Amino acid sequence: MRDNVILLAGVEHPSAEPWVPFAPEALDFLDALSVAVRASSKRREELAAFAFWCRRSRLEALKNRHACLPPRLGRGLLFHVAPSNVPTMFAYTYVIGLLAGNANIIRLSTRRGETEAELCGILRETLDRPEFASVKARSSFVSYGRDDEITTAYLSGCDGRVIWGGDAAVAAMRRLPMPPHAVEVCFPDRWSLALLSQAHLSALGEEALAGLAHRFYNDTYLMDQNACSSPQMVVWLADGGEAGIRRRWWEAVAKEAQGRYSLGSFQAAQKYERFCRAAMTMTDPTVVRLDRYGGNLVYVAQLSALPTAPLELKGGFGLFFECEATALNQLLPMLSAKVQTLVCAGPEPGDMAAFLAAHRARGVDRVVHLGQALEMDTVWDGRDLIEALSRVIR
């Protein structure tokens, strides 16, 4: 092993042999991994979500969706850089690389938390099982500090790289050379929002409203809004209903958070700092007031109008920006190429996707129901990752 590199799971030198996408060996391993995670992580919601995502029935559904006539093979060996602020992302990118038919080197940050440590341990134990020797031979989970020399050495033997991180991280990685044939898939900074129909929520009873609040909590608080697909802002579609529904909504979100979220001093300080920065620096629109629910659990920063540059609005830890639209076309000016996910309650995702396509929206690659913002997919940021990370033999 290279100096200063820690092998967390798998092998030091993974094989670069390509497999067919959704190879039986890969599906068997991931099904066993799903079972192992479910057995060991009953208290970690993000791990339970990962286990649910890579269960056998889900993988078979993905396989059917990506079925194609021309023979395909993986690219070979991929190098992945996982973000440190989304604890399970390293596992998702590994699964996608494996499903595409590739061997994978996953680089984790040295700043690993309990979630990454637990999941790495389960991965190591599952890979070490004799029946999964062929998968272990093409898997390497490593950790080391920022070192371009080590990364360049890894890249020199790779057939592609997958970069998850901010714009600066992507730019830094792109400066490092790869073999001329290697492919690159990058996931830079993105921003997401929620669209709530006032009429739709007004028609719901308390139990149904609480169910929506539960799903909204999963979209936001589970990752402290660090995931690129977590809504930072809520836009109310003023299409009728009762004006008081907005307060009822945030009270329901606060009630959900009271039962599930642990607000420490760090989170509280970060949330307050981000609100103050927005209030002091925003000029068009401005922050007109702050509403609090559940004590410090929910901050709702009211904006004077729809923003034209929403990427400046950085929530987190239960800080949300809120504004109103009276018609859907009012959303279009703020949907830049940096806007990734639109989470809906009321408008149907299929209808919204058709609306955005018909109006040539610059941004939004995903439109989903409330509660589905964090659901990983093999189509992400508008790209089919199985196709991007494999090759057709014609």
Side-chain angles (χ1 to χ4, degrees):
M1 179 57 65
R2 296 176 174 90
D3 292 343
N4 302 321
V5 176
I6 301 172
L7 179 65
L8 302 173
V11 297
E12 181 178 347
H13 301 291
S15 165
E17 179 186 37
W19 282 2
V20 296
F22 299 94
E25 302 94 326
L27 297 185
D28 290 343
F29 166 74
L30 293 173
D31 182 53
L33 177 63
S34 175
V35 172
V37 173
R38 288 200 304 271
S40 302
S41 59
K42 295 179 180 179
R43 296 182 182 179
R44 296 186 187 276
E45 294 181 85
E46 60 270 44
L47 293 188
F50 169 75
F52 187 74
W53 185 76
C54 63
R55 69 197 187 282
R56 170 75 70 171
S57 60
R58 171 64 171 167
L59 299 178
E60 292 290 349
L62 290 173
K63 178 181 177 181
N64 292 335
R65 190 177 75 185
H66 290 281
C68 58
L69 292 176
R72 299 187 76 93
L73 282 174
R75 297 280 179 172
L77 180 61
L78 302 180
F79 182 82
H80 302 250
V81 177
S84 58
N85 62 344
V86 182
T88 54
M89 196 63 239
F90 80 95
Y92 284 107
T93 192
Y94 167 70
V95 170
I96 290 171
L98 190 62
L99 291 177
N102 297 288
N104 300 276
I105 301 171
I106 314 295
R107 185 209 164 187
L108 283 81
S109 169
T110 54
R111 304 190 306 275
R112 295 185 301 281
E114 293 179 0
T115 300
E116 294 101 319
E118 181 176 351
L119 189 48
C120 268
I122 299 169
L123 272 161
R124 182 172 58 252
E125 292 173 3
T126 310
L127 286 168
D128 285 345
R129 288 165 54 174
E131 65 267 37
F132 300 129
S134 61
V135 179
K136 179 179 179 178
R138 49 199 293 104
S139 304
S140 183
F141 294 83
V142 298
S143 179
Y144 58 91
R146 294 181 181 177
D147 191 315
D148 288 351
E149 184 176 347
I150 294 175
T151 302
T152 300
Y154 275 122
L155 290 172
S156 67
C158 286
D159 302 287
R161 61 186 172 198
V162 182
I163 309 168
W164 301 82
D167 291 354
V170 170
M173 184 61 63
R174 281 181 164 170
R175 289 194 290 267
L176 304 182
M178 288 194 302
H181 72 279
V183 299
E184 178 182 80
V185 177
C186 298
F187 301 96
D189 288 327
R190 301 299 297 274
W191 187 91
S192 299
L193 71 157
L195 175 66
L196 307 184
S197 162
Q198 185 169 295
H200 176 74
L201 267 67
S202 295
L204 300 178
E206 292 304 316
E207 185 175 349
L209 192 67
L212 278 185
H214 173 82
R215 291 192 279 277
F216 182 78
Y217 177 96
N218 290 343
D219 285 342
T220 54
Y221 283 85
L222 284 186
M223 295 290 179
D224 276 330
Q225 296 166 262
N226 286 320
C228 59
S229 55
S230 287
Q232 308 291 322
M233 181 173 73
V234 169
V235 177
W236 286 94
L237 183 59
D239 54 355
E242 57 178 277
I245 186 58
R246 302 184 188 185
R247 173 168 289 277
R248 285 178 54 213
W249 165 251
W250 290 117
E251 288 173 349
V253 172
K255 185 175 180 180
E256 180 72 18
Q258 284 173 335
R260 299 173 63 187
Y261 189 67
S262 177
L263 181 68
S265 56
F266 172 80
Q267 292 95 327
Q270 285 287 305
K271 176 159 52 178
Y272 185 68
E273 179 183 338
R274 291 179 185 182
F275 165 74
C276 290
R277 184 181 297 115
M280 291 186 295
T281 59
M282 290 185 65
T283 56
D284 184 23
T286 59
V287 177
V288 295
R289 74 173 189 271
L290 174 68
D291 296 328
R292 302 186 188 192
Y293 300 88
N296 280 344
L297 284 173
V298 181
Y299 278 14
V300 182
Q302 301 287 339
L303 301 181
S304 59
L306 283 165
T308 55
L311 301 183
E312 301 173 3
L313 304 176
K314 178 62 175 174
F317 313 104
L319 166 62
F320 304 96
F321 297 89
E322 183 180 61
C323 54
E324 176 185 287
T326 56
L328 292 178
N329 58 12
Q330 293 177 350
L331 299 175
L332 297 172
M334 71 177 183
L335 300 181
S336 72
K338 282 287 190 180
V339 180
Q340 186 212 59
T341 298
L342 176 63
V343 182
C344 296
E348 282 298 314
D351 295 338
M352 282 302 304
F355 170 84
L356 294 171
H359 289 78
R360 303 176 183 178
R362 282 276 296 150
V364 181
D365 297 317
R366 302 172 68 229
V367 187
V368 298
H369 285 294
L370 213 65
Q372 297 177 339
L374 299 182
E375 286 188 8
M376 193 60 195
D377 200 353
T378 51
V379 176
W380 200 256
D381 279 8
R383 281 174 291 188
D384 186 321
L385 301 184
I386 301 300
E387 289 188 2
L389 299 175
S390 63
R391 58 189 175 92
V392 174
I393 303 176
R394 294 184 67 99

